[in-house]
């Protein structure tokens, strides 16, 4: 794929980067990648241009009917100065999973990953070097037909933007969070779009998130939409429980986002000789395991935080207390292993790192 590169002399000051003041998703780099799709031409017009607003017709279809999805991944500056991405091909495959569900065009995974690597290489000075910092990569696709009828768009844009981010956790390390088990709203249902990283999935969760925050919680735990009893995810993360020495996580049945961190946690724990169960797990089972002293740890998993320890789960009147101010032993061990591989502090025995 031929990528046109339009350079600028007008580079942004890197003040926030130098001062290490990088709240998530607020600072963007100098350039972005963009590519167009039409039914006749396929993907074309691939270019790297200065980061700038995109002008859209008010009738642009995605603004009305939501044909949009995104990805979230990171580039790391490793201890020896090399630039690394963590299992990036998995994100390319997931883009096509999302595209398929939203009846949007597939990408060529190799070409888009190559374009992404070129953009990161061009912007490598924007990758923070302070520990546990990274360059967040946000690819996204949306339908662009200026047409108000309900049908799939014939034209699309794929855009990739980059945002340097500081450490997710403060100097005290992995901070356990308080979770509200959502009794009323659901995130997704089987047959719906839960497994796709589409924009609409998130819009529907914000009301719950606000309610939970108003009650003093950090996040929401989602139950399934049919029985309202099987655990699905926590916020926008996958969820794991350490019960009786075994790691248990909800199986992927269509309503759960297939996280790459989730997949990595499962593979690592199996390598460590642990038993990992992907199966339905009800909130009653969890409460019973807690009462029986068998529920030892719980954590969420996702690219942004890697793992996020759950300190407390509140389900109606039931309060499950797991961690006070420190993460569980396994949660910390998984965090150290995954970040160790990402930053080149531990050997990448599974071939997960792509250096650029
Ligand atoms: C992105 C996301 C995850 C985590 O996926 P990773 O690939 O591990 O970052 C989990 N749940 C939801 C709803 C998500 O959007």
């Amino acid at each position: 794929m031929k990528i046109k590169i339009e350079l600028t002399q007008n580079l942004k000051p890197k003040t926030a980067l130098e001062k290490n003041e990088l709240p998530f998703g607020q600072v963007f780099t100098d350039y972005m990648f963009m590519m167009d799709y039409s039914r006749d031409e396929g993907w074309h017009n691939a270019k790297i241009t200065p980061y700038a607003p995109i002008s859209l017709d008010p009738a642009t279809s995605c603004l009305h009917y939501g044909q949009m999805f995104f990805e979230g991944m990171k580039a790391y500056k490793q201890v020896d100065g090399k630039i690394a991405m963590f299992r990036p091909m998995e994100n390319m495959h997931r883009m096509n999973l999302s595209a398929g569900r939203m009846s949007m065009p597939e990408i060529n995974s190799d070409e888009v990953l190559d374009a992404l690597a070129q953009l990161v290489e061009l912007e490598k000075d924007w990758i923070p070097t302070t520990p546990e910092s990274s360059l967040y990569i946000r690819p996204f696709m949306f339908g662009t037909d200026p047409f108000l009828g309900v049908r799939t768009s014939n034209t699309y844009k794929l855009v990739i933007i980059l945002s340097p981010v500081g450490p997710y956790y403060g100097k005290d390390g992995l901070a356990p969070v308080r979770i509200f088990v959502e009794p009323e709203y659901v995130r997704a249902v089987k047959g719906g779009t839960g497994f796709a990283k589409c924009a609409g999935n998130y819009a529907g969760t914000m009301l719950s998130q606000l309610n939970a925050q108003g009650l003093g919680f950090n996040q929401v735990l989602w139950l399934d939409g049919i029985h309202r009893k099987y655990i699905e995810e926590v916020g926008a993360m996958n969820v794991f429980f350490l019960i009786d020495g075994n790691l248990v996580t909800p199986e992927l049945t269509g309503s759960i986002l297939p996280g790459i961190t989730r997949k990595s946690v499962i593979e690592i724990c199996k390598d460590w000789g642990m038993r990992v169960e992907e199966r339905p797990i009800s909130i009653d089972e969890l409460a019973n395991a807690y009462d029986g002293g068998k529920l030892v740890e719980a954590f969420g998993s996702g690219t942004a935080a890697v793992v996020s320890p759950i300190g407390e789960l509140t389900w109606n009147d039931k309060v499950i207390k797991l961690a006070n101010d420190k993460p569980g032993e396994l949660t910390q061990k998984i965090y150290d292993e995954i970040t160790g591989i990402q930053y080149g502090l531990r050997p990448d025995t599974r071939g997960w790192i792509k250096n650029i």
Side-chain angles (χ1 to χ4, degrees), residues 57-336:
D57 190 292
T60 299
S61 59
C62 72
L63 299 178
H64 303 270
Y65 308 118
Q67 266 191 306
M68 290 190 260
F69 69 82
F70 67 95
E71 266 304 322
M73 50 204 292
K74 285 174 170 177
Y76 310 86
K77 208 160 258 175
Q78 295 190 309
V79 283
D80 63 359
K82 280 196 199 129
I83 301 165
M85 289 193 283
F86 183 73
R87 312 188 79 175
M89 203 34 113
E90 296 283 340
N91 296 89
M92 300 299 116
H93 294 329
R94 194 167 62 192
M95 278 212 247
N96 282 339
L97 190 73
S98 297
R101 181 64 185 88
M102 308 305 289
S103 39
M104 294 165 69
E106 290 204 348
I107 53 153
N108 178 315
S109 301
D110 292 313
E111 286 183 0
V112 172
L113 183 53
D114 182 57
L116 198 159
Q118 282 190 49
L119 180 65
V120 171
E121 167 68 26
L122 178 68
E123 297 283 56
K124 60 175 183 279
D125 292 345
W126 278 101
I127 309 177
T129 49
T130 44
E132 295 174 62
S133 300
S134 59
L135 186 68
Y136 186 77
I137 304 169
R138 169 55 60 93
F140 56 105
M141 193 196 292
F142 53 96
T144 54
D145 280 6
F147 175 63
L148 289 185
V150 182
R151 61 142 170 83
T152 59
S153 184
N154 288 316
T155 57
Y156 296 85
K157 270 189 195 302
L158 174 71
V159 185
I160 306 173
I161 56 174
L162 307 175
S163 172
V165 291
Y168 187 89
Y169 295 107
K171 62 177 179 350
D172 295 331
L174 279 67
V177 290
R178 293 185 68 209
I179 302 294
F180 180 68
V181 181
E182 171 61 63
E184 186 181 358
Y185 300 114
V186 297
R187 176 188 167 271
V189 287
K190 235 180 259 191
T193 57
F195 67 88
K197 228 169 159 71
C198 62
N201 284 350
Y202 303 83
T205 65
M206 290 175 191
L207 184 58
S208 297
Q209 174 68 23
L210 284 177
N211 288 344
Q213 277 169 359
L215 295 169
F217 295 90
N218 304 93
Q219 269 298 347
V220 167
L221 184 98
W222 301 106
L223 298 178
D224 79 279
I226 296 167
H227 309 281
R228 303 291 183 96
K229 82 181 212 198
Y230 294 104
I231 292 165
E232 301 229 310
E233 296 200 57
V234 56
M237 299 180 116
N238 296 113
V239 68
F240 287 87
F241 303 97
L242 181 63
I243 303 174
D244 220 5
N246 300 323
L247 194 61
V248 185
T249 191
E251 63 187 333
L252 302 177
T253 53
S255 51
I256 293 172
L257 199 289
I260 296 156
T261 319
R262 174 187 182 278
K263 188 172 176 176
S264 306
V265 168
I266 292 171
E267 290 173 36
I268 286 170
C269 288
K270 283 184 177 166
D271 282 353
W272 286 344
M274 289 182 71
R275 182 174 154 147
V276 183
E277 299 171 6
E278 294 178 70
R279 62 169 174 83
I281 171 163
S282 70
I283 187 75
D284 305 273
E285 177 188 340
L286 200 73
N288 287 336
Y290 175 71
D291 290 339
K294 292 180 172 171
L295 175 63
V296 184
E297 289 181 39
F299 60 88
S301 76
T303 295
V306 184
V307 288
S308 171
I310 295 176
E312 183 194 314
L313 275 165
T314 292
W315 175 45
N316 299 325
D317 301 333
K318 177 95 191 159
V319 180
I320 295 177
K321 278 207 166 291
L322 291 166
N324 287 323
D325 46 358
K326 277 215 309 247
E329 207 178 305
L330 178 68
T331 309
Q332 181 72 51
K333 197 175 155 197
I334 293 168
Y335 180 82
D336 293 344

